[in-house]
Amino acid sequence: QVQLQESGPGLVKPSQTLSLTCTVSGASIGSGSYYWNWIRQPAGKGLEWIGRMYVSGTTNYNPPLKSRVTISVDTSKNQFSLRVDSVTAADTAVYYCARVPSDFDAFDIWGQGTMVTVS
Amino acid sequence: DIQMTQSPSSVSASVGDRVTITCQASEDIGSWLAWYQHKPGSAPKLLIFTASSLHSGVPARFSGSGSGTDFTLTISGLQPEDFATYFCQQGISFPFTFGPGTKVDIK
């Protein structure tokens, strides 16, 4: 059974960098066939797709966030990570990691989410 | 960006009821539409992909239909475990976007 689990600081100061990790169990990130994504949801608002990465290193980002966001993969640890630079209160949200099979564009496995507050 | 809207924003229903939720895209997305179920504190679950394909392990009381800009999720025979928020998502173009969600609660 494939599971994703987010981890990282729950509190980040304004102007600093938010860093989260998603640990994948039950599947190998390095095996290909999947895109690894980050999504967030501010309180009381809808879901916002942040971006995705393929194991080859190919990335796609949501344009409003592109200048501040980096998604990377560590196949040796079976993890992928999110970095958001220069955070503000607007980056306060529940952050989810999720997987998309390469043959259909839907998120088939999600993590439970982790709350990050910028304050 | 493609905007996704849903209606209703909430619905009160009883066990056994048939519930229908609609999702509309701001432009033609073909069949690149997915539906998810989300309960507080839990990981969202994929129900339907490519508008009408039932994801593995999802009960057959869930069904999806539609194409182009208008889509529907139907729950036939609501069960106690189905009380949750449901949202749609388009997967035809970047950035992927989501509907605001429909909360299904107990009447």
Side-chain angles (χ1 to χ4, degrees):
Chain A
Q1 178 178 339
V2 179
Q3 291 186 314
L4 278 61
Q5 180 66 58
E6 306 90 349
S7 60
L11 182 64
V12 182
K13 295 184 185 302
S15 79
Q16 295 192 342
T17 295
L18 179 162
S19 295
L20 296 174
T21 296
C22 182
T23 300
V24 180
S25 58
S28 172
I29 284 183
S31 65
S33 302
Y34 298 101
Y35 292 93
W36 303 96
N37 296 255
W38 287 96
I39 297 154
R40 70 182 183 179
Q41 185 170 31
K45 297 186 178 182
L47 290 154
E48 178 181 38
W49 177 74
I50 299 170
R52 73 178 190 180
M53 183 170 199
Y54 193 66
V55 66
S56 64
T58 301
T59 54
N60 303 99
Y61 297 119
N62 198 334
L65 298 170
K66 187 175 182 179
S67 64
R68 298 193 296 126
V69 167
T70 303
I71 296 175
S72 58
V73 170
D74 186 338
T75 55
S76 67
K77 295 181 179 179
N78 220 35
Q79 296 174 335
F80 64 106
S81 299
L82 171 71
R83 192 179 91 174
V84 183
D85 296 324
S86 305
V87 297
T88 69
D91 295 307
T92 295
V94 176
Y95 285 76
Y96 298 94
C97 55
R99 185 184 82 168
V100 172
S102 58
D103 56 351
F104 67 84
D105 279 318
F107 303 92
D108 71 336
I109 305 287
W110 296 63
Q112 286 193 310
T114 187
M115 179 69 203
V116 178
T117 300
V118 178
S119 177
Chain B
D1 298 1
I2 298 175
Q3 305 303 314
M4 308 298 293
T5 56
Q6 285 181 236
S7 62
S9 57
S10 65
V11 58
S12 295
S14 301
V15 172
D17 283 354
R18 179 185 177 98
V19 173
T20 299
I21 299 168
T22 63
C23 175
Q24 188 168 56
S26 61
E27 60 187 79
D28 189 341
I29 61 171
S31 295
W32 292 102
L33 191 283
W35 289 99
Y36 303 85
Q37 177 193 71
H38 192 197
K39 298 179 181 179
S42 299
K45 292 182 179 179
L46 175 64
L47 300 174
I48 303 284
F49 62 97
T50 56
S52 60
S53 299
L54 196 67
H55 186 50
S56 174
V58 176
R61 62 181 180 273
F62 292 93
S63 63
S65 64
S67 66
T69 61
D70 296 297
F71 302 86
T72 299
L73 172 70
T74 300
I75 310 172
S76 301
L78 199 66
Q79 296 300 300
E81 61 268 29
D82 300 336
F83 292 98
T85 296
Y86 296 84
F87 57 91
C88 59
Q89 171 248 328
Q90 64 82 13
I92 196 171
S93 67
F94 297 129
F96 298 140
T97 48
F98 298 86
T102 295
K103 185 175 182 180
V104 178
D105 59 23
I106 301 172
K107 183 183 287 184

